[in-house]
Amino acid sequence: RDYYASRGLGDVYKRQVLIIIGAVNWGLIGFFQFDLVRVIFGNMSMFSRIIYAAVGLSGLYALSYFGRIRSAM
């Protein structure tokens, strides 16, 4: 049974976009000391905290990919 067929692809893509946003932001911080989320949404404003939390939760969810990849083999 295909995991992505059983769930809406929209959920998967939303999580992937959040993971990519987090990766790009951390890359900018690491290479240029530039925090894009802070520049756009303010220094730890409520909305920037929501963005950081959503990215973090998406990253934690992405850890479960490893179990699904292994069980699909």
Side-chain angles (χ1 to χ4, degrees):
R1 182 174 165 198
D2 187 12
Y3 173 77
Y4 296 112
S6 66
R7 294 186 56 113
L9 278 178
D11 291 341
V12 174
Y13 288 131
K14 288 175 193 173
R15 289 185 190 103
Q16 291 293 339
V17 166
L18 287 172
I19 292 168
I20 291 167
I21 288 170
V24 169
N25 194 52
W26 277 110
L28 288 171
I29 291 169
F31 288 116
F32 305 111
Q33 297 180 355
F34 180 76
D35 186 351
L36 185 62
V37 173
R38 184 190 56 169
V39 169
I40 293 173
F41 301 112
N43 191 17
M44 292 310 278
S45 68
M46 183 57 78
F47 195 69
S48 66
R49 290 180 63 152
I50 291 170
I51 297 294
Y52 286 127
V55 168
L57 290 173
S58 295
L60 290 174
Y61 183 79
L63 288 174
S64 70
Y65 296 165
F66 291 110
R68 278 183 251 146
I69 291 170
R70 175 175 277 171
S71 66
M73 293 179 159

